[in-house]
Amino acid sequence: MHEFAHSYANGIPNGVTNGVTNGQQTNGQQTEGKVRVVLLLANSLDCESLSQALLQQQGFEILTATSDIDFGLARCRRLYPQVLILDPKIVSDSVQRAAEMLRLREVEHLLVLDDRLHEGRLAAILAMPAVSYFTRQAGLVPLMSAIQQIANSGDRAFDPVLRARIHREAGGLRLRQAPDQPSVTSLTLRELEVMKLLANGHSVRRCAERLDLAESTIDNHKSRLMKKLDIHKVVELTHVAIRE
């Protein structure tokens, strides 16, 4: 995205200032024919690059582009964007905070823009209504097309590389495990809970207390999840949990 970079002042790209875009005051009102977007990205360069890339297409109105999550979410509450594009690296609970804004109808749709595929994160996102997921590897053109699709139809959009692995079950969307590749997508929700607790340094006994289960049950979950992930040491389990 960096080839689209232009001059950048006060942390906001040219043409984007506190809800004023290209000289027009938005005040929460949609500029006709344009998709109203808020960008919450991990650094100023990303904000600048993606803002300018979208503005060059004439079909987008950038209400705010910032790496300050508190400021960005406050702008969403005031301006009600059609699409909030979020880099989950901003803060550890950024996806949860943005999803809460969806629940409160302070944004219409959330698109999580990840640096690479994090299967655990995507698996959780699939259970969240009105949340889409892309990686930077998808490229700018598919991303812009997805933003338009989201705004025009309200349908969720997913990285083209991942679509074949996303399928609908009775309980909602699920991520299929990649062929011949151990994946957290094969774990049950309980096994995911146990993995997170173990990776955070909790003993089997402490896990049992936290989940109100017998220690033998925790041991069984631990054995099954490590077998599914083809790992043999808790330290490896911690690495997988952090990565995904």
Side-chain angles (χ1 to χ4, degrees):
M1 296 177 184
H2 300 314
E3 65 268 27
F4 296 97
H6 289 259
S7 59
Y8 198 71
N10 299 321
I12 300 175
N14 288 343
V16 183
T17 58
N18 291 338
V20 180
T21 306
N22 296 333
Q24 290 183 301
Q25 178 69 38
T26 65
N27 288 327
Q29 298 299 316
Q30 180 174 349
T31 301
E32 185 175 358
K34 293 189 176 183
V35 180
R36 302 171 67 250
V37 178
V38 166
L39 301 176
L40 266 174
L41 304 178
N43 58 69
S44 297
L45 183 58
D46 281 350
C47 290
E48 174 189 10
S49 299
L50 186 52
S51 292
Q52 296 296 345
L54 293 176
L55 289 172
Q56 286 177 2
Q57 302 306 308
Q58 304 300 315
F60 302 92
E61 181 181 5
I62 309 302
L63 304 180
T64 295
T66 180
S67 57
D68 183 332
I69 188 168
D70 293 320
F71 175 76
L73 294 181
R75 298 296 291 166
C76 288
R77 293 186 186 97
R78 177 181 173 188
L79 299 173
Y80 192 64
Q82 290 170 276
V83 182
L84 167 60
I85 300 177
L86 173 73
D87 184 337
K89 297 193 303 295
I90 292 184
V91 293
S92 60
D93 63 344
S94 57
V95 175
Q96 289 79 7
R97 291 175 66 180
E100 176 64 10
M101 296 194 70
L102 275 175
R103 188 186 69 81
L104 297 174
R105 304 189 179 211
E106 293 172 328
V107 299
E108 287 187 24
H109 201 106
L110 170 63
L111 189 153
V112 175
L113 182 61
D114 226 337
D115 55 346
R116 63 171 181 82
L117 171 61
H118 290 76
E119 292 190 343
R121 181 177 292 141
L122 175 54
I125 284 171
L126 290 177
M128 301 176 182
V131 183
S132 297
Y133 183 90
F134 263 67
T135 67
R136 292 171 183 269
Q137 285 71 38
L140 185 59
V141 173
L143 178 62
M144 289 192 297
S145 177
I147 297 169
Q148 291 280 8
Q149 171 192 324
I150 291 165
N152 293 333
S153 69
D155 294 336
R156 303 171 73 179
F158 298 99
D159 193 305
V161 173
L162 302 173
R163 288 175 193 158
R165 293 183 57 194
I166 297 172
H167 66 110
R168 185 172 296 279
E169 295 182 352
L173 297 180
R174 293 292 301 274
L175 181 66
R176 288 192 181 98
Q177 183 173 341
D180 304 319
Q181 192 173 18
S183 167
V184 295
T185 61
S186 64
L187 303 183
T188 66
L189 291 177
R190 182 64 81 187
E191 287 166 350
L192 282 170
E193 288 180 317
V194 172
M195 181 179 75
K196 291 175 184 178
L197 290 173
L198 292 172
N200 283 326
H202 294 294
S203 65
V204 168
R205 181 177 181 180
R206 181 60 178 151
C207 290
E209 292 173 352
R210 289 284 298 271
L211 298 176
D212 195 24
L213 296 171
E215 290 183 37
S216 58
T217 303
I218 298 296
D219 268 325
N220 289 336
H221 285 312
K222 177 183 174 182
S223 297
R224 281 196 296 269
L225 72 90
M226 293 182 75
K227 183 177 181 180
K228 288 180 180 180
L229 298 176
D230 192 26
I231 55 180
H232 309 284
K233 298 179 180 179
V234 174
V235 66
E236 296 176 60
L237 183 64
T238 301
H239 291 160
V240 171
I242 291 172
R243 185 181 71 238
E244 299 300 338

